[in-house]
Amino acid sequence: APGRAQGARPHATRSAGAGVGRRAMDEADRAAIAAALAEFGEALDTGAGLQVVPQGHCPHLKGAPLLVPATIDKVARCSACGEDEAWICGACSAVLCSRYKNKHMAAHAEEVGHAVGLSMSDLSFWCFQCDAYLDVYKISELQPLYSAAHEAQVAL
């Protein structure tokens, strides 16, 4: 394919996107990265999608850990509609569906003001007020709920 390093596998590409909070690459950056990738038989894909970089801080957490429910069902369903793409509210442990289903968690966040939710699909955290993913490894308030949800997902 045009623009692909000789011998590169079609799926072995890397994004050249600027990402959130990063400067755009100039031609020198692109050339250096393309040369390094070529050494590994890969090609730089300048047309790749966006890079999602979770935030390392959220002002809506206010320093307190999120509520950890007594039990977490690894096959949780939305309490409003029964959808299986469920989220857990970090403030009250309500189990509601994602914004890609019937938007019950987003509505809950807006109506009640509970900012942070945990997706049971991929264990990602989202702040509905920041409109951003949150980095569980950098934000200690997220870790107890993350750990409990992870344990629930891997339980036999």
Side-chain angles (χ1 to χ4, degrees):
R4 187 176 307 278
Q6 185 174 2
R9 299 177 312 271
H11 64 280
T13 59
R14 299 286 191 260
S15 170
V20 176
R22 301 179 196 260
R23 68 176 176 81
M25 282 195 291
D26 61 22
E27 285 305 311
D29 290 334
R30 264 189 206 85
I33 293 169
L37 287 171
E39 289 180 25
F40 294 102
E42 296 184 11
L44 181 65
D45 183 359
T46 58
L50 296 174
Q51 178 183 11
V52 176
V53 179
Q55 291 186 161
H57 171 76
C58 176
H60 305 103
L61 292 171
K62 299 177 179 37
L66 298 178
L67 183 64
V68 177
T71 59
I72 297 176
D73 187 353
K74 70 179 176 180
V75 290
R77 294 192 168 273
C78 177
S79 61
C81 69
E83 277 290 347
D84 63 352
E85 191 173 308
W87 285 64
I88 297 175
C89 176
C92 69
S93 299
V95 178
L96 299 161
C97 65
S98 83
R99 57 193 169 156
Y100 300 112
K101 295 293 183 166
N102 293 318
K103 301 178 176 77
H104 288 118
M105 184 58 77
H108 174 75
E110 187 174 322
E111 292 165 8
V112 184
H114 294 170
V116 177
L118 169 68
S119 167
M120 288 301 291
S121 297
D122 62 5
L123 298 182
S124 63
F125 283 92
W126 180 262
C127 177
F128 291 91
Q129 293 176 13
C130 291
D131 198 28
Y133 285 104
L134 303 177
D135 190 333
V136 69
Y137 300 107
K138 292 182 179 175
I139 304 173
S140 62
E141 296 93 337
L142 305 175
Q143 293 167 3
L145 179 54
Y146 175 85
S147 294
H150 182 264
E151 288 176 16
Q153 288 212 342
V154 298
L156 297 176

